[in-house]
Amino acid sequence: MTQPDSLAQIGVVGLAVMGSNLARNFARNGHTVAVYNRSAGKTDALIAEHGSEGRFIPSYTIEDFVASLEKPRRAIIMVQAGAATDAVINQLADAMDPGDIIIDGGNALYTDTIRREKEISARGLHFVGAGISGGEEGALNGPSIMPGGPAESYKSLGPLLESIAAKVDGTPCVTHIGPDGAGHFVKMVHNGIEYADMQVIGEAYHLLRYAAGMEPAEIAEVFREWNAGDLDSYLIGITAEVLSQVDAETGKPLIDVIVDEAGQKGTGRWTVKAALDLGIPVTGIGEAVFARALSGATAQRAAARDNLPTGTLSTLAGRGVDREAFVEDVRRALFASKLVAYAQGFDEIRAGSDEHNWNVDPRDLATIWRGGCIIRAKFLNRIVEAYNENPDLESLLLDPYFKGELGTLVDSWRRVVVLATELGLPVPVFASSLSYYDSLRAERLPAALIQGQRDFFGAHTYRRLDREGSFHTLWSGDRTEVRTD
Ligand code: ATR
């Protein structure tokens, strides 16, 4: 059946900044875009300010909006996460026909997406939970998009998303991630990695500032240099911009007038909660989330500031450390810690994928994160290569290329953690990532002792290196060992 030209290929519900920028991106790429917002003001503003950028069909009721879409209808919801999203999904589902596709482009919790997909597919419609990264700018000029949901719906939706996504070497930063909640899960972990990435950059800045005594403008130059090498990434680039900014009012570096309490919207916390449930140590991400929480613990920080004993502190000069060498050591510690954060994030994605039978291909993620999103970085090409060479890689750290890199990084990494400790400067992600690394490669772990303790107080039993089976020592008896299985 041919359809009239006047119908829209895609619709956007919710025209706050993200929604209207996404709608404009579709329109600028030649699609007719149906737009609807609960209150008419945002719809009118979009048409008045940007109506000339392409073909928009504004509607003022959900029914008219749905009627303005060609079949199978495709509608992206960009409203507040939670109850608002549920309300809009239901309104759309009531007005749509079997085979139509509802896409949630918000930052939904993946378990909500799994639930919604079940409910919507039971009504004969397709539901796609799509993670969209890149912020307002990305939504307008090319985001990285992580759609989940049924593979079948990607056939109809994929080309549309590919047309608006960021492109790297001609490859669009979007692909079908996997069924139901896979897209939102992966977006969640992306954000978790982003937390760790930002924190390690923060720790590097802190050391250059307070260990090496460099000024923000000088540090900005260091980050610019780093951005020309292995660390080339969006976040390093914007860090240099932030550090160069001078406050117009006071003439001070802007960084010095910003309150040092980091906000968060919750995706980092979700990443850690999910990792706890899956039993995956995402220590870098966890420390990054906790570091933000600690920064906001104002009362405790005020009580502790200049009040808790420091022990004997050192200085770079006191330790006889050359500043230039230290800067290079910090760069290496940052790179190594970042590698750990990515390795842990990919571990979580693999565990989530196994748990939910999503069959997520890590290469897809590294590919579509190369552009559009906040963690875009040159180094993601290396991750694609690592998984190309060995799709079953036990850990990214074990890839021959990254292993080689770690060989050149690890001495610096250790020196930086030791120095930071001696200077009394906090480096939670640098230090915990190094401990993770040393735990992973350890011949023996104190877990044997923990098993002994558990057996002592709770008869939880232990396994032996030299024999099969479960064993218990009669701790409160004659301390002989019995086999328990
Ligand atoms: P922002 O803070 O950027 O404006 P927001 O508060 O998260 O974003 O809201 C985003 C969108 O969700 C808005 O388009 C809002 O519609 P209104 O402009 O009418 O407020 C929409 N939204 C929020 N709750 C909604 C609901 N229950 N039903 C439909 N749309 C809703």
Side-chain angles (χ1 to χ4, degrees):
M1 188 182 78
T2 54
Q3 306 194 35
D5 288 346
S6 55
L7 291 181
Q9 284 90 52
I10 185 87
V12 179
V13 180
L15 302 174
V17 183
M18 283 294 286
S20 56
N21 280 2
L22 213 56
R24 290 170 62 196
N25 191 347
F26 279 116
R28 288 172 174 193
N29 279 287
H31 307 294
T32 303
V33 190
V35 290
Y36 167 78
N37 192 69
R38 176 181 60 177
S39 48
K42 285 198 177 73
T43 313
D44 291 338
L46 170 64
I47 300 303
E49 288 163 32
H50 305 289
S52 61
E53 292 175 11
R55 293 189 302 273
F56 295 96
I57 307 179
S59 291
Y60 298 92
T61 66
I62 278 275
E63 291 72 22
D64 286 350
F65 168 79
V66 168
S68 70
L69 289 164
E70 70 176 37
K71 289 186 181 178
R73 300 185 181 95
R74 293 167 288 241
I76 303 190
I77 302 174
M78 297 297 294
V79 305
Q80 257 169 356
T85 299
D86 276 314
V88 174
I89 289 171
N90 283 322
Q91 288 163 17
L92 280 173
D94 288 344
M96 284 177 150
D97 294 315
D100 291 348
I101 307 170
I102 299 175
I103 304 115
D104 174 14
N107 254 338
L109 182 59
Y110 74 99
T111 45
D112 284 339
T113 305
I114 293 174
R115 167 180 62 77
R116 288 169 180 148
E117 204 271 337
K118 260 203 197 90
E119 291 166 5
I120 295 303
S121 63
R123 299 175 69 170
L125 295 139
H126 294 288
F127 185 75
V128 172
I132 301 181
S133 177
E136 295 170 13
E137 202 273 336
L140 184 61
N141 297 317
S144 176
I145 312 175
M146 294 150 251
E152 194 192 329
S153 56
Y154 192 78
K155 287 196 196 111
S156 137
L157 189 61
L160 277 160
L161 297 181
E162 285 161 18
S163 73
I164 64 152
K167 315 276 183 309
V168 176
D169 305 332
T171 306
C173 294
V174 55
T175 193
H176 180 240
I177 303 293
D180 57 66
H184 275 139
F185 184 89
V186 157
K187 170 63 175 22
M188 173 188 78
V189 177
H190 161 285
N191 284 25
I193 293 173
E194 179 184 313
Y195 274 56
D197 211 339
M198 292 168 75
Q199 175 68 23
V200 289
I201 292 171
E203 290 177 17
Y205 155 73
H206 201 69
L207 290 175
L208 298 187
R209 187 82 193 269
Y210 299 105
M214 296 165 73
E215 291 303 315
E218 249 181 307
I219 303 174
E221 283 315 308
V222 170
F223 276 104
R224 283 199 182 97
E225 272 170 39
W226 290 358
N227 210 24
D230 288 342
L231 284 171
D232 178 348
S233 63
Y234 172 72
L235 281 170
I236 295 278
I238 66 164
T239 299
E241 295 303 312
V242 172
L243 291 175
S244 318
Q245 184 73 12
V246 174
D247 176 45
E249 207 173 308
T250 58
K252 291 181 183 168
L254 179 68
I255 184 82
D256 287 348
V257 298
I258 297 179
V259 174
D260 61 346
E261 293 172 34
Q264 52 183 317
K265 283 197 170 166
T267 43
R269 193 161 50 220
W270 288 350
T271 307
V272 179
K273 280 186 181 174
L276 288 171
D277 287 338
L278 291 163
I280 301 298
V282 291
T283 52
I285 300 170
E287 286 293 348
V289 174
F290 285 132
R292 288 198 192 187
L294 190 150
S295 76
T298 31
Q300 280 185 330
R301 286 181 62 197
R305 190 172 296 127
D306 302 325
N307 194 19
L308 289 177
T310 63
T312 310
L313 295 182
S314 192
T315 60
L316 268 203
R319 300 291 291 123
V321 175
D322 170 67
R323 198 172 90 163
E324 212 169 297
F326 178 70
V327 172
E328 175 57 14
D329 273 354
V330 170
R331 187 190 70 81
R332 293 180 187 198
L334 161 51
F335 192 35
S337 306
K338 176 173 161 139
L339 260 174
V340 167
Y342 278 73
Q344 294 178 337
F346 275 86
D347 284 351
E348 178 168 356
I349 288 168
R350 178 170 44 198
S353 176
D354 289 349
E355 170 88 6
H356 297 282
N357 294 314
W358 285 328
N359 217 1
V360 174
D361 186 335
R363 285 171 299 188
D364 287 348
L365 308 182
T367 303
I368 67 170
W369 290 348
R370 292 180 309 159
C373 65
I374 304 297
I375 64 171
R376 61 184 182 261
K378 207 165 88 178
F379 129 110
L380 285 157
N381 284 311
R382 294 285 184 190
I383 299 186
V384 179
E385 285 167 24
Y387 282 115
N388 265 338
E389 269 166 44
N390 181 3
D392 300 319
L393 204 55
E394 281 294 336
S395 163
L396 260 186
L397 304 178
L398 294 167
D399 164 70
Y401 173 79
F402 288 128
K403 210 169 79 177
E405 284 290 298
L406 283 162
T408 68
L409 304 175
V410 67
D411 284 338
S412 297
W413 197 8
R414 291 192 195 288
R415 276 197 296 270
V416 166
V417 170
V418 168
L419 261 171
T421 307
E422 289 183 344
L423 270 62
L425 295 170
V427 282
V429 176
F430 281 9
S432 67
S433 303
L434 181 55
S435 273
Y436 170 86
Y437 179 75
D438 283 331
S439 296
L440 210 53
R441 42 153 227 91
E443 169 82 26
R444 293 278 291 160
L445 287 172
L449 176 58
I450 288 167
Q451 285 301 83
Q453 293 164 333
R454 293 178 71 240
D455 189 58
F456 189 102
F457 66 67
H460 292 300
T461 75
Y462 49 85
R463 287 179 295 120
R464 295 180 57 101
L465 282 171
D466 53 359
R467 264 177 286 149
E468 289 294 310
S470 299
F471 299 88
H472 169 57
T473 290
L474 301 169
W475 295 104
S476 44
D478 63 2
R479 302 211 165 178
T480 55
E481 184 180 74
V482 291
R483 186 165 173 166
T484 58
D485 58 336

